[in-house]
Amino acid sequence: MSSHGELIAGLDIGSSKIRMIVGQRSGEEGSEKKINIIGAYETPAEGIHKGVITSIEDAVVSITRVLENMERIVGHSIEQAWVGISGSHIISQESRGVIAVSRHDGEIDEGDVARAIEAARTVATPSNYEILHVIPRNFTIDGQTNIKDPVGMTGIRLEVDSLIVQGITSQIKNLTKCVYRTGLDIEDLVVASLASSQAVLSNRQKELGVAVLDIGGTTTNVIVMEDGDVVHQAVLPIGADHVTSDIAIGLRISIDAAEKIKLKYGTALAKNVDKNDHISFEEIDLSEQGEVPRRYIAQIIEARVEEILRKVDNELEKAHRSGMLPSGVVLIGGGAKLHGMVELAKKVLRLPVSLGYAQNITSSVDKTQDLSYMTAIGLVLWGNQALGHRNGRRFSLSKFKSVADVSDKMRKWLKSLVP
């Protein structure tokens, strides 16, 4: 990709599918670059369960398959990617960093802000965890609170309230090892929920208060934002595959037949299904026999989806935002495509609910309108923004900073393991 440096690749490593999106930057120098999505590809994920690598060899094969097919689609070699990380091992906690302003005249510069954010990183973390992101929420100067950008202001004492996002070190190393063994460099590891929020949220939604709910195969990612800041982030170990499992158990059919029934006939609103409407198993799978009322299937689905949404509401309760987000909830992920999901979410969460589609991109690729691809698109947008900061005059403090990326030392060590 060095010969075509305006390409940005986003690699979303999920539990059920691995997806890659490639975008091309365009625009005048000195202006914010626009993104045109030129390629999208997905493949079933092998060797990954609930966001955790269970088999390095299988995961490498799956990632390689995505990479090779994407290179054929875009007609260029892909050497680097922004990689999403998720899983129930991702946790977050609040932290505060405090420093003395360095300049004699008390004017705060970017170095002071960087030192304050670095001070916030010194929070005591479990020995087996590694910091992925330090997300500054707001700053305080000599007791004056709720400052978004302190650069250029004057003071003696600078404080920053931040959210520390961490993951288990062994899982991070296993993920990076799988990516490096494909020959792909990691530009940065980005927590999936942060990336997806970049794709589907407007600045106004982030200011008023909004939650993004990414319902994947075996996990559900939740991120809550208000006043432009991340208020809460969580990963729940439950997802759309649990709905399929419930159907298989309830109807005593194979998991493959259960998935087909869910996709073709499934709905999360049992009351809207005619009680006389029946489904023949033979229409789905010739090896299965019998029939079942469609309402019974809907009742199975509704019970599990409601459980997922109740757990999400518990997370909103922890953030003191249950039923109190003016911009409501934005649904993405494969599980969000289930019929009746929006209506049931409105009922359970007591909030406005809508499906989330990518903003601020152009594309002729149909898959950019697929809810499953929002995280991969978000990774491309994250990369575009980071490259703009890297090449710009100074960074924007209202944006997220990843200050604990994979170190060069680890990168070289992991690459030395490649046969």
Side-chain angles (χ1 to χ4, degrees):
M1 201 162 63
S2 57
S3 62
H4 214 81
E6 292 298 294
L7 293 184
I8 302 176
L11 179 62
D12 176 21
I13 302 177
S15 297
S16 58
K17 295 288 180 68
I18 296 176
R19 299 178 177 90
M20 180 175 273
I21 287 279
V22 172
Q24 188 167 21
R25 305 179 81 211
S26 62
E28 299 294 330
E29 286 298 326
S31 64
E32 185 172 345
K33 298 283 189 177
K34 303 299 182 183
I35 287 292
N36 178 43
I37 303 300
I38 61 174
Y41 190 81
E42 70 176 8
T43 192
E46 303 291 341
I48 305 167
H49 181 65
K50 293 187 177 180
V52 172
I53 303 296
T54 56
S55 169
I56 287 180
E57 292 301 325
D58 290 344
V60 169
V61 170
S62 296
I63 297 171
T64 300
R65 187 182 305 124
V66 169
L67 179 61
E68 290 177 348
N69 280 280
M70 182 55 76
E71 288 179 334
R72 281 195 285 269
I73 290 172
V74 301
H76 292 279
S77 63
I78 300 171
E79 298 171 2
Q80 303 96 19
W82 300 80
V83 179
I85 182 170
S86 184
S88 54
H89 66 97
I90 302 292
I91 62 172
S92 59
Q93 68 181 98
E94 296 180 352
S95 177
R96 168 167 284 208
V98 182
I99 63 153
V101 177
S102 59
R103 289 178 52 157
H104 294 300
D105 60 5
E107 183 174 321
I108 297 168
D109 59 21
E110 295 170 22
D112 294 318
V113 174
R115 287 193 299 117
I117 294 174
E118 186 66 26
R121 289 191 66 219
T122 60
V123 62
T125 59
S127 59
N128 59 331
Y129 275 78
E130 179 176 329
I131 294 175
L132 289 163
H133 298 281
V134 178
I135 305 170
R137 290 173 169 174
N138 53 70
F139 295 85
T140 301
I141 302 174
D142 296 345
Q144 181 185 350
T145 60
N146 295 322
I147 295 171
K148 293 299 181 183
D149 187 349
V151 173
M153 297 184 181
T154 302
I156 298 172
R157 176 187 172 97
L158 177 65
E159 305 172 47
V160 59
D161 290 313
S162 60
L163 189 71
I164 309 292
V165 184
Q166 310 164 66
I168 294 179
T169 302
S170 60
Q171 300 302 337
I172 294 171
K173 286 184 176 180
N174 289 338
L175 178 66
T176 53
K177 186 185 296 184
C178 290
V179 176
Y180 284 133
R181 283 184 58 177
T182 67
L184 197 63
D185 268 341
I186 298 175
E187 285 277 11
D188 195 1
L189 286 178
V190 183
V191 171
S193 56
L194 292 175
S196 57
S197 69
Q198 289 282 86
V200 301
L201 296 183
S202 66
N203 290 333
R204 180 170 174 77
Q205 286 175 307
K206 294 176 185 178
E207 288 293 329
L208 292 175
V210 65
V212 177
L213 181 56
D214 183 355
I215 306 174
T218 56
T219 60
T220 296
N221 293 295
V222 183
I223 187 167
V224 184
M225 302 189 70
E226 192 174 74
D227 295 330
D229 299 320
V230 177
V231 176
H232 186 69
Q233 184 274 335
V235 181
L236 306 176
I238 187 171
D241 286 354
H242 293 79
V243 176
T244 305
S245 298
D246 288 350
I247 295 173
I249 294 170
L251 304 184
R252 298 180 179 85
I253 58 176
S254 70
I255 197 75
D256 291 337
E259 179 70 14
K260 291 176 183 177
I261 286 176
K262 182 184 77 172
L263 296 177
K264 188 171 183 179
Y265 299 106
T267 177
L269 294 174
K271 67 177 183 179
N272 292 349
V273 178
D274 188 337
K275 62 182 180 181
N276 296 319
D277 192 359
H278 285 65
I279 296 172
S280 172
F281 293 152
E282 293 180 349
E283 293 180 14
I284 303 298
D285 191 333
L286 293 176
S287 64
E288 304 285 354
Q289 293 183 346
E291 64 175 28
V292 65
R294 189 181 173 196
R295 177 173 283 189
Y296 179 58
I297 297 172
Q299 289 170 340
I300 294 174
I301 294 173
E302 183 174 351
R304 177 62 84 171
V305 171
E306 189 168 329
E307 180 193 359
I308 295 173
L309 295 171
R310 295 287 180 199
K311 290 182 180 295
V312 170
D313 194 46
N314 289 340
E315 294 299 326
L316 298 182
E317 193 74 53
K318 292 178 184 177
H320 308 291
R321 299 297 188 280
S322 177
M324 297 173 61
L325 294 170
S327 293
V329 175
V330 177
L331 300 179
I332 61 172
K337 294 186 279 188
L338 184 65
H339 182 270
M341 180 67 78
V342 171
E343 289 78 4
L344 185 58
K346 287 179 180 178
K347 173 187 170 184
V348 175
L349 301 177
R350 310 176 312 283
L351 287 168
V353 179
S354 61
L355 299 178
Y357 295 98
Q359 304 178 19
N360 303 318
I361 64 166
T362 59
S363 179
S364 58
V365 179
D366 293 339
K367 290 181 179 178
T368 56
Q369 296 302 310
D370 188 330
L371 295 174
S372 302
Y373 277 88
M374 293 304 110
T375 298
I377 293 173
L379 289 166
V380 172
L381 292 173
W382 184 289
N384 181 49
Q385 188 179 83
L387 290 175
H389 295 159
R390 191 179 298 171
N391 300 329
R393 277 71 59 202
R394 70 182 187 88
F395 58 79
S396 169
L397 295 171
S398 64
K399 307 303 181 185
F400 307 137
K401 301 292 154 219
S402 174
V403 296
D405 307 328
V406 180
S407 67
D408 288 337
K409 186 175 181 180
M410 178 184 288
R411 186 170 292 171
K412 291 176 183 176
W413 174 72
L414 287 168
K415 283 190 170 182
S416 71
L417 300 177
V418 179

